[in-house]
Amino acid sequence: MNTKVIENFAKFNCSLLYLPSFLLLAILAFLQSRQLLSEKGYVNFQKDFFLSINSGLSDYPETLNNLTQFGDALIILSFLSIFIIYAPKMWEALITSSIVSAIIVCVLKPLFGIKRPAAAFTDENFTIIGRKLIGHNSFPSGHSVTVFAVLTIVLIAFMPKKIKYQIIWSIAVFSFGVMVIATRIGVGAHFPLDVTVGGIVGYVSAILGIAINKKYNIWTWVGNKKFYPVFILVFFVCAVILVTKIFSVNLIVFYLALISLIISIFVITNLYVKK
């Protein structure tokens, strides 16, 4: 499996950055030209669209609350934890892209300082599912960045050879990504442009992560068995955090993520003991 990932990353071309970069610049240029980068302009521009999507999705609160958790790095990466063994090359890209995306998000959120929907619409009735977020850090959506950064790497890492399967695989992965980031509107945490730009930033972060790893091979130690205890410890800590989440908010996605981590800890420990 790791061989396939290495081969797919070797075929990787930085030209994949052109379209998302153009889209990102086009969106920002449009907002700037219409003076919509101001807090009031940005919010009013999307008000009706946001309320419409939020209202339409709010009929499925349990589904939304479970799906939106995939935007949490702890959750989505827990499901990929087993690939530390079988596809460490993918995890090298995941680590780098996570750092890149974190830096980008930490710069953009305070730079724009856009109010969250719950802070902007004090007199409007809309659905909030889960924790009420009222900060000035709505743009871009961090959950959307995380989802598309991870899914883009998974997409490229396991891209099939045949064109027809590539199309099916790409549609499946991106459809899941769009579905997850849409939940951020459904739970009342973000505006449509927050998740749109967040998804693009996540994609760009993934491409940059793969490109950086391809050139510098920063995390080659990830696949080394002598470092397995590090991952066992990290996964154990993540499992404990998930248990606390279960006691706080009893969601099925937390149980599934916890099971994934427990399986990974067992398999990695077994392999390490047999070394």
Side-chain angles (χ1 to χ4, degrees):
M1 185 178 290
N2 197 49
T3 301
K4 178 178 178 60
V5 175
I6 292 171
E7 289 175 354
N8 282 343
F9 282 172
K11 299 174 187 175
F12 164 81
N13 193 319
C14 281
S15 62
L16 291 173
L17 275 174
Y18 297 160
L19 179 58
S21 297
F22 171 78
L23 288 175
L24 194 58
L25 291 174
I27 291 172
L28 292 176
F30 171 79
L31 293 175
Q32 179 62 38
S33 67
R34 300 294 181 89
Q35 297 182 337
L36 298 176
L37 284 176
S38 66
E39 188 175 276
K40 186 176 180 180
Y42 182 86
V43 171
N44 288 336
F45 175 66
Q46 303 174 81
K47 178 180 178 180
D48 293 339
F49 193 32
F50 165 78
L51 293 175
S52 176
I53 297 175
N54 178 263
S55 175
L57 293 177
S58 62
D59 292 335
Y60 313 96
E62 193 70 21
T63 301
L64 286 180
N65 209 7
N66 275 281
L67 281 176
T68 202
Q69 304 304 325
F70 281 96
D72 184 337
L74 171 63
I75 304 303
I76 194 168
L77 292 178
S78 292
F79 286 101
L80 300 175
S81 57
I82 194 67
F83 291 107
I84 282 284
I85 299 170
Y86 301 112
K89 199 67 180 178
M90 183 184 75
W91 262 90
E92 292 177 26
L94 285 171
I95 294 171
T96 304
S97 67
S98 295
I99 295 172
V100 171
S101 62
I103 292 172
I104 294 175
V105 169
C106 286
V107 170
L108 293 183
K109 279 185 177 287
L111 178 64
F112 291 99
I114 301 296
K115 285 182 179 180
R116 296 268 189 170
F121 299 144
T122 54
D123 298 324
E124 296 289 343
N125 292 320
F126 68 96
T127 302
I128 296 176
I129 299 171
R131 189 161 59 96
K132 183 178 181 180
L133 303 172
I134 55 174
H136 287 64
N137 57 351
S138 193
F139 181 86
S141 163
H143 277 64
S144 301
V145 173
T146 298
V147 168
F148 266 86
V150 173
L151 290 183
T152 300
I153 288 174
V154 172
L155 172 73
I156 296 172
F158 300 120
M159 183 67 72
K161 290 184 178 180
K162 294 185 177 180
I163 294 295
K164 64 177 181 179
Y165 295 128
Q166 288 181 0
I167 294 172
I168 295 172
W169 174 238
S170 299
I171 291 174
V173 172
F174 276 107
S175 295
F176 178 70
V178 170
M179 182 171 59
V180 172
I181 67 174
T183 66
R184 300 308 291 162
I185 306 172
V187 300
H190 282 288
F191 295 104
L193 276 176
D194 296 344
V195 300
T196 301
V197 172
I200 297 172
V201 170
Y203 180 90
V204 169
S205 299
I207 301 303
L208 289 175
I210 295 172
I212 292 170
N213 268 21
K214 187 176 179 180
K215 185 171 183 179
Y216 298 106
N217 289 317
I218 306 171
W219 313 104
T220 51
W221 53 269
V222 168
N224 193 322
K225 281 189 177 181
K226 72 177 183 179
F227 291 104
Y228 279 5
V230 174
F231 295 111
I232 293 170
L233 177 61
V234 171
F235 290 166
F236 177 78
V237 172
C238 290
V240 172
I241 295 172
L242 279 171
V243 170
T244 62
K245 282 180 173 289
I246 289 171
F247 280 110
S248 175
V249 185
N250 192 21
L251 295 175
I252 190 171
V253 69
F254 293 155
Y255 288 97
L256 296 175
L258 180 60
I259 291 170
S260 297
L261 280 175
I262 291 172
I263 292 173
S264 298
I265 291 171
F266 174 78
V267 174
I268 295 173
T269 302
N270 192 44
L271 287 173
Y272 182 72
V273 171
K274 288 182 178 179
K275 74 172 185 175

